[in-house]
Amino acid sequence: MTDIGVEPYREITFDADGDADPAERAALTGVDATDLVLFAHGWNNTPTSARGLFRAYFAAYPALLTGAPGVRLAYGGVIWPSIRFADENIPDFPHAAANAPGPGLDSATVAALKGFFPGQDAAIDRVAAYLAERPDSAEAFTDFGRLTRGLVAAGAGAGAGDLVLDGTAPPPPALLTDDTLELCRRFTAALAETGMDVQPGPPGPAFSIGGSLKHLWDGAKEVLRQTTYYEMKHRAGTVGQHGLGPLIGQLALTRPDLRIHLVGHSQGARLVAFALKGLPPGARNVKSLTLLEGAFSHYAFAERLPDGLAGSGALSDAQARIDGPVVSCYSHLDTALGVIYPLASAVSGDYASALPGLERRWWAIGHDGIQAVSPCTTLTLAEALRDGVPDSGCVSVDAAAVVKNGGPPTGAHSDICHPELVRVVLAAGRIIPT
């Protein structure tokens, strides 16, 4: 049994297609509890690092349950095949502290990439060599682009987007079609905006400083990172809709008394949100959904898109599928979502390219909360802790008061292990009185 520091704890592991371990399914069904909090990780690429996040996140729960007589809370960790570059900053997370951001790829990241893109070891080794050597050559960037795009071609790279546009086919993603040097320039400039020690360089045909292209390898590393994001985004949706959703539906039949509370961080927030699409008709055992710094579109729950866009959010009917609220905890201090995510969404073809220069349209739900949904209650964290949250509908909670620590380029993106955020989950699920 895995020791996470809380009991009873169960784990459910999914593969990239959403298939779960049968023994873990059975163990989850037999848990002795009235309520089950299922937490899905985001940027962790191994079960070991995911469990480290689970341990830190769940630590605050037991002390906060003292005022909840009759509640027997169980804890569940959702493990899915995602990836995290080893130089990404996670506050108070010791295993990542030694991997400072910088040029090149460390051995842990290379190994993670090879696991994420099986059969592509030679291409990944060549990509790593380019990032380490930083050749001053336009041809090197062209070959780098060819190699990174080949990684996506080797994977699925397809699935449900965050938005559904009326009568409009998604454009080919710029990540796979645009000039590699231009993409590297754009990401280098975005990294500089987050506070990274990079040189964005002046605009122009050569994108160079003193005739050199070397500084653009900082942006090239981010292009590689966003290539994995492109794959991981769709994988999160697949695992949620075709794996976690049906599993929760099975629990509704075998354990109708068990109240489910879904929590997800980053891409794990996308996973648990898309699990609602996979719930079978009549399943009403999900009592709350809490998104922590969710890395998907803030329009995902919209019935109609704003500002002349014809369509809806991919989760426009999701609110009606749960017996409780949908809560997005967000922070403007999350630079991963406020700076990098809009550009990543634009180049990955998340929705039509008819919005040049309007970056707010590309923001994530973890940056400014749920948008284009009416009614939607907007609260400060202090208000949510004092008064609780509504029993149903969409709720946005500005959590910047605690989600505030972390260095560039991701900022406060992973600063989520706080008792205050746990209290929001407990209030959303009507587990403790407010």
Side-chain angles (χ1 to χ4, degrees):
M1 184 70 67
T2 302
D3 180 16
I4 298 296
V6 291
E7 287 291 345
Y9 170 79
R10 299 292 185 268
E11 209 159 80
I12 190 74
T13 305
F14 293 98
D15 65 16
D17 297 320
D19 294 326
D21 183 285
E24 291 179 345
R25 279 179 176 268
L28 195 63
T29 300
V31 69
D32 179 18
T34 60
D35 294 76
L36 171 65
V37 174
L38 285 173
F39 178 64
H41 64 81
W43 295 98
N44 300 281
N45 57 275
T46 67
T48 299
S49 57
R51 290 176 185 125
L53 180 60
F54 296 160
R55 188 174 293 109
Y57 173 72
F58 284 135
Y61 275 84
L64 294 173
L65 288 170
T66 55
V71 172
R72 300 190 313 278
L73 187 66
Y75 308 86
V78 178
I79 291 184
W80 59 289
S82 67
I83 187 169
R84 181 186 66 80
F85 276 45
D87 65 1
E88 290 174 4
N89 180 279
I90 299 180
D92 303 320
F93 206 65
H95 88 279
N99 298 309
L105 300 174
D106 58 79
S107 57
T109 299
V110 171
L113 287 168
K114 289 179 178 178
F116 192 66
F117 296 109
Q120 296 296 306
D121 289 13
I124 291 166
D125 285 337
R126 188 65 188 135
V127 164
Y130 276 132
L131 292 173
E133 297 163 6
R134 300 167 74 91
D136 188 8
S137 160
E139 291 76 18
F141 282 94
T142 298
D143 193 45
F144 175 86
R146 178 187 65 82
L147 292 166
T148 57
R149 289 165 183 178
L151 297 178
V152 174
D162 293 345
L163 307 179
V164 179
L165 299 177
D166 293 345
T168 304
L175 185 68
L176 306 182
T177 59
D178 279 14
D179 178 75
T180 300
L181 271 175
E182 168 62 15
L183 288 172
C184 293
R185 181 192 69 80
R186 294 173 70 187
F187 277 110
T188 300
L191 289 171
E193 190 176 341
T194 72
M196 283 281 286
D197 184 18
V198 299
Q199 297 175 314
F207 315 119
S208 64
I209 295 177
S212 174
L213 300 173
K214 281 182 173 290
H215 68 289
L216 294 182
W217 287 106
D218 293 313
K221 183 176 179 180
E222 192 61 32
V223 167
L224 174 63
R225 194 192 310 265
Q226 296 309 322
T227 300
T228 68
Y229 156 82
Y230 177 75
E231 286 285 307
M232 186 164 61
K233 167 193 167 180
H234 297 301
R235 184 173 294 185
T238 296
V239 172
Q241 184 171 351
H242 301 292
L244 184 58
L247 181 146
I248 294 170
Q250 181 184 32
L251 285 174
L253 296 175
T254 58
R255 288 292 308 276
D257 58 319
L258 186 63
R259 294 159 40 90
I260 308 296
H261 310 278
L262 299 178
V263 185
H265 169 235
S266 186
Q267 290 285 357
R270 190 176 199 270
L271 189 157
V272 295
F274 272 75
L276 301 183
K277 291 180 69 69
L279 287 176
R284 302 293 294 173
N285 53 338
V286 177
K287 303 303 178 179
S288 66
L289 171 69
T290 306
L291 312 170
L292 305 177
E293 300 307 297
F296 61 105
S297 173
H298 59 184
Y299 294 148
F301 292 95
E303 290 186 3
R304 298 303 301 172
L305 299 178
D307 302 319
L309 282 174
S312 63
L315 301 173
S316 60
D317 64 342
Q319 306 163 54
R321 299 188 178 209
I322 68 172
D323 183 23
V326 173
V327 181
S328 172
C329 293
Y330 68 94
S331 172
H332 69 279
L333 300 173
D334 183 339
T335 51
L337 299 184
V339 178
I340 301 296
Y341 176 88
L343 177 55
S345 295
V347 301
S348 65
D350 278 359
Y351 44 100
S353 57
L355 307 172
L358 299 177
E359 286 198 358
R360 186 183 181 281
R361 309 281 186 86
W362 303 95
W363 284 357
I365 204 167
H367 179 68
D368 65 340
I370 298 168
Q371 300 294 316
V373 172
S374 181
C376 177
T377 303
T378 300
L379 304 170
T380 65
L381 181 60
E383 290 169 337
L385 296 179
R386 183 191 67 212
D387 303 326
V389 300
D391 290 345
S392 62
C394 287
V395 185
S396 294
V397 176
D398 185 348
V402 296
V403 182
K404 59 185 179 180
N405 295 317
T410 57
H413 183 62
S414 294
D415 188 20
I416 62 165
C417 297
H418 297 283
E420 294 88 347
L421 299 183
V422 170
R423 287 175 60 191
V424 171
V425 174
L426 296 176
R430 288 89 77 202
I431 298 172
I432 58 173
T434 56

